[in-house]
Amino acid sequence: MPKINSQNISMITCTAPVNIAVIKYWGKRDEGLILPVNSSLSVTLHQDQLKTTTTVACSRDFQEDRIWLNGKEEDINQPRLQSCLREIRRLARKRRSDGDPSTENSLSHRVHVCSVNNFPTAAGLASSAAGYACLVYSLSRLFGVEGDLSLVARQGSGSACRSIYGGFVQWKMGERQDGKDSLAEQVETESHWPELRVLVLVVSAERKPVASTSGMQTSVETSRLLKLRADSVVPGRMEEMISAIQRRNFADFGELTMKDSNQFHAICLDTYPPIFYLNDISRKVISLVHRYNQHYQETRVAYTFDAGPNAVIYTLQDYVHEFVEVVQHFFPPECNGGEFVKGLPIGRVSLSEDLIRAIGVETAPEGISYIISTKVGPGPCMVEDPNLHLLGPDGLPKKST
C-alpha cells in the first residue's frame, strides 16, 4: 500500500442530530430520488444525548473512496452513498466553474469517511437520518459547498433532510418530478419551546425485523389506507401541527402526535403481509400514557413510535420527573444494574397512591432497558478540536483505546 503523507490530507469532523417525526413520512412516490407521498414534520433532538459524528478526509494519496461505520468498513458503492458523494462533487464543481475557489481540495481526490453513532443503529432511532445528514454536511464543509443541503441529504435517506436543521422541521413533499422542491424547512428554532422535553424509552436495541425502505415499498403497493392518509389526512394535520408548535400548545401538539403515530402503525397493519414494529411493551407504554393523561384530565404526555418498538415521549419540564418515576414504577429496572436514566438529569419524586391505582397496568420488570432524557436541539455543526477527528494522520480510523 502506497505511503500516505499526512501533509497532503485535508480533514473535517462534524456532528449531526437525530430527528423524530411527529407527522410521519411513510411511502415514496419515487424510489430513486426518494420523493415522499406526503409531507412530514419532526423535532430535532439534542446532540448532547444523540448524535452521529463523522470525519471526512481527502488526499491525492488515497487510492479509492472508503467508509467505516461504527468501527466496520462498509461498501462505499451503495447507491445512496454514491448519490450523496456525486451530488456534493457536482455542486463543488459548479461553484468552481462560477469562479469561487473557496476550497483548494481537488475534486478528483478520493475521500475517506469514518462515522460513529452514540446510540443503537437500525433499532428505530433514526440512525440513517443522522448519519446521512452528517455525511452530507461534512462533505459540504470539506469541498466548500453551500446551498440547500437538505436536497442532497434526502437522496441518502429521506428523513435525513430534516436533520440538516435544528428545532422543528418540516419536509415539504414537493410536486416536481425532478424533486427539486422536495426539501426541508425549519418551522421554529430549538430555542422556541424551552419547556419541551423528550424521553426515549429504549425497549429494544436490536435490529428491527423489517427495514424501513422495504416496509414502505410494500405499504405503497398494498395499503389503501396509506393513500387515504397521504391525500386526505396529512395536509390538514401538517397545518394543525405547525400551528400547535408556533402557539406552544402542548395539548394540541401531543394529541396530533399520538394520532399520527397510531395511524402510521395502522398503515403497517393494513400492509400485506402486515408489518409489526410495536411489541407488547410498546403497547403497554401506549396504555400507560393514556391512563396517565386521563388521571389528570389533560394531555400532559404524548408518545410516538417510528419503525421500531422504542417509544419517544414528549412532555413538559413540569411533568418530566413524575412521568419518569411512573415509568420506573411500572417497568422496574434491574436492581442497581447500570444507569437507567441517561442524559439530562431527572430528580426522584414520590407517586401518589391515587395515580398508581389510576394507571393500574401490569408491571413489566426490565421491559424498558433504559431511558434517554433529552430536549430539542440544534442542527449539524463542525467540531473544532482536531484531536476529536475519527481518522488518524494516515487517513485510517484511529484505534480505539
Side-chain angles (χ1 to χ4, degrees):
M1 187 175 160
K3 187 163 170 50
I4 290 167
N5 183 343
S6 60
Q7 290 180 322
N8 293 338
I9 297 181
S10 295
M11 200 177 291
I12 275 178
T13 298
C14 299
T15 63
V18 165
N19 75 76
I20 299 292
V22 288
I23 303 290
K24 303 294 186 190
Y25 147 56
W26 194 251
K28 295 189 266 286
R29 61 186 168 94
D30 185 306
E31 283 286 334
L33 292 173
I34 311 189
L35 302 177
V37 296
N38 63 269
S39 296
S40 56
L41 197 145
S42 63
V43 179
T44 301
L45 305 190
H46 206 287
Q47 293 179 55
D48 283 353
Q49 284 75 46
L50 294 150
K51 69 181 173 190
T52 295
T53 303
T54 300
T55 297
V56 291
C58 70
S59 170
R60 63 166 177 253
D61 296 338
F62 293 164
Q63 299 297 296
E64 56 185 343
D65 292 336
R66 295 176 75 181
I67 187 166
W68 294 264
L69 301 179
N70 294 310
K72 184 166 162 270
E73 185 158 15
E74 302 283 349
D75 178 12
I76 197 140
N77 293 313
Q78 290 174 40
R80 290 180 172 197
L81 275 170
Q82 286 299 314
S83 280
C84 293
L85 278 165
R86 214 170 26 245
E87 188 61 12
I88 286 287
R89 282 173 167 145
R90 185 189 71 77
L91 291 169
R93 258 192 302 275
K94 182 176 181 301
R95 195 156 178 198
R96 297 277 167 84
S97 65
D98 292 345
D100 183 350
S102 60
T103 174
E104 296 306 311
N105 292 328
S106 170
L107 294 168
S108 60
H109 291 170
R110 295 300 174 190
V111 296
H112 285 186
V113 179
C114 187
S115 190
V116 296
N117 297 329
N118 68 347
F119 57 91
T121 303
L125 283 178
S127 56
S128 62
Y132 274 105
C134 205
L135 172 72
V136 167
Y137 188 81
S138 305
L139 288 169
S140 75
R141 291 294 169 271
L142 189 70
F143 290 118
V145 168
E146 287 180 348
D148 199 326
L149 298 177
S150 77
L151 285 167
V152 187
R154 189 201 74 222
Q155 294 173 50
S157 166
S159 50
C161 72
R162 298 188 308 244
S163 276
I164 291 291
Y165 297 101
F168 302 84
V169 185
Q170 64 172 323
W171 174 12
K172 293 181 163 180
M173 63 180 283
E175 292 169 9
R176 289 173 52 159
Q177 293 295 308
D178 63 6
K180 291 282 194 290
D181 58 349
S182 182
L183 44 81
E185 211 173 72
Q186 191 178 58
V187 172
E188 291 291 349
T189 67
E190 63 270 20
S191 58
H192 168 71
W193 199 349
E195 303 83 16
L196 194 66
R197 291 288 299 272
V198 188
L199 300 166
V200 182
L201 275 48
V202 179
V203 173
S204 167
E206 293 167 16
R207 203 164 260 276
K208 54 199 179 192
V210 180
S212 302
T213 303
S214 59
M216 275 188 209
Q217 208 164 349
T218 314
S219 292
V220 168
E221 288 162 8
T222 63
S223 170
R224 294 177 70 177
L225 185 56
L226 181 138
K227 183 162 171 42
L228 175 75
R229 165 181 160 74
D231 295 346
S232 308
V233 179
V234 172
R237 205 168 260 179
M238 284 288 290
E239 285 181 23
E240 290 173 45
M241 183 61 89
I242 289 169
S243 167
I245 289 165
Q246 288 172 338
R247 291 179 289 116
R248 295 193 285 270
N249 184 314
F250 187 82
D252 290 355
F253 170 83
E255 194 173 309
L256 284 164
T257 295
M258 291 188 281
K259 284 180 173 175
D260 205 73
S261 176
N262 296 342
Q263 189 174 68
F264 157 52
H265 289 282
I267 286 167
C268 292
L269 290 180
D270 189 49
T271 299
Y272 191 82
I275 306 167
F276 303 97
Y277 286 124
L278 304 182
N279 62 19
D280 289 345
I281 300 297
S282 316
R283 287 184 281 275
K284 201 160 271 196
V285 170
I286 290 172
S287 177
L288 183 145
V289 166
H290 284 296
R291 290 180 184 206
Y292 181 83
N293 288 335
Q294 278 161 7
H295 175 72
Y296 286 109
Q297 299 290 294
E298 64 175 340
T299 303
R300 292 187 171 192
V301 176
Y303 57 78
T304 188
F305 293 82
D306 279 348
N310 301 308
V312 176
I313 301 289
Y314 292 101
T315 188
L316 297 172
Q317 180 70 42
D318 287 351
Y319 312 129
V320 71
H321 303 282
E322 183 179 76
F323 188 74
V324 167
E325 201 70 50
V326 165
V327 171
Q328 295 201 65
H329 180 88
F330 289 99
F331 301 95
E334 274 183 73
C335 292
N336 305 319
E339 198 184 1
F340 186 60
V341 182
K342 304 167 190 278
L344 295 177
I346 301 281
R348 299 301 302 257
V349 296
S350 53
L351 303 176
S352 73
E353 287 301 320
D354 273 2
L355 177 58
I356 292 169
R357 214 171 18 253
I359 293 172
V361 297
E362 197 180 329
T363 59
E366 298 172 42
I368 288 169
S369 307
Y370 58 93
I371 297 173
I372 303 168
S373 164
T374 185
K375 60 183 180 179
V376 186
C381 52
M382 263 180 69
V383 176
E384 301 297 340
D385 184 354
N387 295 316
L388 298 177
H389 289 325
L390 302 175
L391 295 168
D394 57 358
L396 297 174
K398 289 179 178 173
K399 299 282 184 284
S400 53
T401 50

